[in-house]
Amino acid sequence: MRASKNRSQNFKTYEIHISGAEGIYEEAEILKIVKGYTKRALDHPRGKPDKIVITIEEIKQKLNKIQPLPVTTLRCKSPDEAKKIIFQTLSDIGVSKKGINNSFKVLNSQKTMRGAALILEESGIRMEPDRKRGVRVSRLGIEETAKKALAWKLSKMRINTTTVKEALILASKVTSHPDVTAEICISDDPDYTTGYIATKNLGYLRIPNIKKHGEKHGGRVFIIKEDANIDRLIHYLEKIPVIVSGVRFD
Ligand code: PML
């Protein structure tokens, strides 16, 4: 689902991103999911969309199974502290200052992207072919038993929400690609102030107070290997179906 609205300013019309969602579901669930996605788009805190596009595609390929990243919520009291945590975490895994600063530029920009930016870990160069659109992670979901086990685990941590589950599934797909070093995410929802940084080894690290309440900026940055094969990476993120499985009740 993709919801947007047009805004006119200085005789120009801009499309503003309102909300997006992706999933892999059984055919029997389609009506329920479409209703939920439509409601989500119409009620979004970023505003009322004037266009909602819902695309339903049959997946014919075999689904690739992945494990979800382990979840940790860090202690963080302010956006300044969040910045320090992100800086330290990324420096420790070898991301350059330039790479980190360029990532913050994208995340703090008022021009919210629909998809994610790709930033090289050493040179900090942006690599996504279309900067307005970004790379849109698609074809991702969770198996029914894994979904129940994940809900149970997250409930114990008091974070069993759709927002957390969807972000975790997305981060698990993104970091499962060997060319991805880390993902940083700040929600573009003005009411949602928890973000995260995710890596294959460190897991999904939630960062409360990553931005101030009411701020509309946000987005996703995928920090990638300097020699990443960009076409293959984008193909994996956008087209290869991946499903989270094997979550255990323990
Ligand atoms: C989003 O708005 O989709 C991003 C949410 C990021 C954080 C989710 C969490 O609380 O773990």
Side-chain angles (χ1 to χ4, degrees), residues 10-163:
N10 299 334
F11 307 106
K12 278 190 186 153
T13 305
Y14 301 89
E15 191 183 84
I16 301 173
H17 165 75
I18 300 287
S19 170
E22 305 275 342
I24 296 177
Y25 302 99
E26 295 294 338
E27 187 177 341
E29 297 174 284
I30 291 176
L31 287 181
K32 185 185 83 190
I33 298 299
V34 168
K35 194 171 166 195
Y37 280 175
T38 310
K39 186 167 170 7
R40 189 193 302 197
L42 290 172
D43 293 345
H44 205 276
R46 281 179 66 79
K48 188 66 94 199
D50 56 24
K51 185 161 101 182
I52 303 171
V53 179
I54 295 181
T55 309
I56 302 166
E57 283 176 292
E58 184 185 3
I59 293 181
K60 297 202 172 80
Q61 301 127 286
K62 194 170 154 276
L63 303 179
N64 289 266
K65 293 187 179 184
I66 58 162
Q67 297 281 317
L69 292 171
V71 179
T72 311
T73 302
L74 304 178
R75 286 164 68 91
C76 174
K77 291 203 178 75
S78 67
D80 279 348
E81 200 181 335
K83 203 168 174 183
K84 281 187 198 138
I85 293 170
I86 294 168
F87 215 97
Q88 194 59 53
T89 310
L90 292 175
S91 300
D92 288 352
I93 56 169
V95 180
S96 71
K97 232 176 171 172
K98 188 125 203 223
I100 302 172
N101 286 334
N102 287 356
S103 303
F104 280 121
K105 266 189 214 157
V106 173
L107 296 168
N108 291 327
S109 161
Q110 297 306 316
K111 288 186 199 148
T112 314
M113 293 165 69
R114 291 207 301 267
L118 299 179
I119 292 186
L120 297 181
E121 63 181 5
E122 179 58 40
S123 60
I125 296 172
R126 293 249 320 248
M127 296 304 289
E128 70 279 12
D130 178 342
R131 285 197 182 187
K132 253 198 211 151
R133 177 184 178 275
V135 175
R136 176 125 203 166
V137 184
S138 195
R139 303 193 184 185
L140 66 172
I142 182 162
E143 276 180 352
E144 213 40 54
T145 33
K147 196 188 218 170
K148 290 196 180 104
L150 182 65
W152 182 77
K153 277 188 169 173
L154 294 177
S155 294
K156 284 203 293 184
M157 300 163 88
R158 295 169 189 268
I159 51 170
N160 184 27
T161 65
T162 304
T163 308

Side-chain angles (χ1 to χ4, degrees), residues 150-235:
L150 182 65
W152 182 77
K153 277 188 169 173
L154 294 177
S155 294
K156 284 203 293 184
M157 300 163 88
R158 295 169 189 268
I159 51 170
N160 184 27
T161 65
T162 304
T163 308
V164 175
K165 280 183 279 195
E166 287 185 353
L168 175 64
I169 293 168
L170 186 145
S172 302
K173 176 172 181 181
V174 171
T175 54
S176 70
H177 194 283
D179 281 344
V180 175
T181 304
E183 176 191 352
I184 321 171
C185 170
I186 298 180
S187 176
D188 56 15
D189 177 342
D191 296 338
Y192 205 89
T193 57
T194 299
Y196 66 85
I197 177 164
T199 81
K200 182 92 188 138
N201 290 332
L202 300 173
Y204 180 88
L205 306 176
R206 304 180 65 242
I207 308 177
N209 301 306
I210 201 164
K211 73 174 187 181
K212 290 204 184 104
H213 197 266
E215 290 177 345
K216 278 193 169 178
H217 68 88
R220 286 190 154 86
V221 170
F222 304 155
I223 299 180
I224 60 173
K225 302 272 183 264
E226 203 64 22
D227 60 356
N229 181 320
I230 304 298
D231 290 342
R232 262 199 250 158
L233 173 61
I234 294 177
H235 179 73

